[in-house]
Amino acid sequence: MPEATHVASGKVREIYELDESHLLLVASDRISTFDVVLPTEIPDKGRVLTGLSSFWFARTGDIVPNHLVAIRADGRSTEARRLAMLPIECVVRGYLAGSGWKDYSATGEVCGHRLPAGLRESDQLPAPIFTPATKAQEGHDENIDRARAAELVGDEILAAAEQLSLALYEHAAAYAAERGILIADTKFELGLDADGVLTLGDEALTPDSSRFWPADEYEPGRGQPSFDKQYVRDYCESLGWDKAPPAPELPEAVVEGTRARYVEAFERLTGIRFADYLADPEVVLR
Ligand code: Q0Z
């Protein structure tokens, strides 16, 4: 891509610079599980995530402005305004899972939020909580309390980031639940635009930035199946893989089953046929 300079790689995405104030985000078809990128791609996964994220950006502009400028015709690349990203991840949890469940089990608290006694793994919380984390370059993000987050971004920005993150989560979780998908938790990346306005960046409310659970299989007291990655996890577990790289190749049936789950998530949440997105990605913005 001669018109753009590569600036950063994520596990499954790339960022290029288009000009001094615009970036191109490209979502690949790579998939990771147990924190390792697999050698096998899931066809169209990057398009599904780009379409979903863009769908949410278009529908949450009245809650918070966002970086999205355009979706390219390939369906996997978006042009975005460059932001000065906050050095924290804005995590919202509506259910007790992952590190939230771990921390609660050990201390009765998650990131300084004292929770009622007796909650089970995967229980819905009395109300969603904002649990910021620091961005790790390598390895896992680290949960931090409010005081540490305020040291990193200042009190005023932290309060605004918390309020916007909770409002985004509440909107999306209610909408998704009506369509059979529970959003257990999610991570937002906020930044300041050229005018200093707090703005939503990165990807938002995708299965890669959130835990999506199938509502019809929800059963607290155990870990929940992942809406999108469960076939991949089950297959990897069935091999007895030790979760150290390199990861195993996926058989065709696992690839196809997983692709179908991504497409199902897209169609349920957007109400748009995925084929219509492929024909014209900007359908998700209308
Ligand atoms: C997002 C990331 C990815 C690797 C930087 N609008 C923006 N302005 C400034 N920075 C970013 C954004 Cl989205 C930004 N990331 C996360 C995304 C590959 C890392 F696609 N890093």
Side-chain angles (χ1 to χ4, degrees), residues 20-224:
E20 47 297 339
S21 55
H22 294 88
L23 300 175
L24 188 74
L25 278 71
V26 184
S28 75
D29 292 338
R30 297 193 295 271
I31 185 169
S32 67
T33 191
F34 306 115
D35 285 325
V36 181
V37 177
L38 302 186
T40 313
E41 297 193 326
I42 305 299
D44 292 323
K45 171 175 176 278
R47 293 190 174 92
V48 165
L49 268 59
T50 297
L52 260 182
S53 193
S54 302
F55 172 82
W56 291 117
F57 283 141
R59 276 154 192 82
T60 58
D62 54 348
I63 299 174
V64 56
N66 60 68
H67 73 165
L68 181 64
V69 174
I71 314 175
R72 289 204 167 169
D74 65 12
R76 66 169 73 252
S77 313
T78 56
E79 298 173 14
R81 288 180 295 139
R82 184 175 234 161
L83 308 174
M85 302 308 293
L86 303 186
I88 57 169
E89 313 268 16
C90 294
V91 178
V92 180
R93 300 171 187 274
Y95 294 77
L96 211 39
S99 68
W101 165 241
K102 238 188 186 172
D103 292 351
Y104 171 78
S105 305
T107 68
E109 294 189 2
V110 183
C111 294
H113 295 268
R114 175 135 296 269
L115 296 172
L119 294 176
R120 298 160 296 173
E121 183 174 13
S122 310
D123 261 332
Q124 187 168 26
L125 298 175
I129 56 174
F130 177 69
T131 63
T134 53
K135 299 182 192 188
Q137 290 302 76
E138 274 295 297
H140 272 202
D141 298 343
E142 189 191 343
N143 288 339
I144 54 178
D145 63 15
R146 220 196 144 68
R148 177 63 189 141
E151 285 175 4
L152 291 168
V153 302
D155 273 317
E156 210 173 324
I157 287 177
L158 181 64
E162 172 172 27
Q163 184 245 307
L164 292 173
S165 298
L166 288 168
L168 285 166
Y169 173 81
E170 277 163 16
H171 168 80
Y175 177 94
E178 287 175 16
R179 288 155 182 85
I181 294 177
L182 303 181
I183 303 179
D185 49 39
T186 195
K187 172 187 84 178
F188 300 111
E189 302 237 16
L190 296 167
L192 300 176
D193 76 1
D195 300 319
V197 176
L198 199 55
T199 302
L200 180 61
D202 208 59
E203 66 177 330
L205 297 160
T206 69
D208 276 10
S209 65
S210 320
R211 279 193 182 84
F212 282 14
W213 293 340
D216 61 356
E217 292 174 56
Y218 176 62
E219 190 186 303
R222 57 159 171 90
Q224 303 304 298

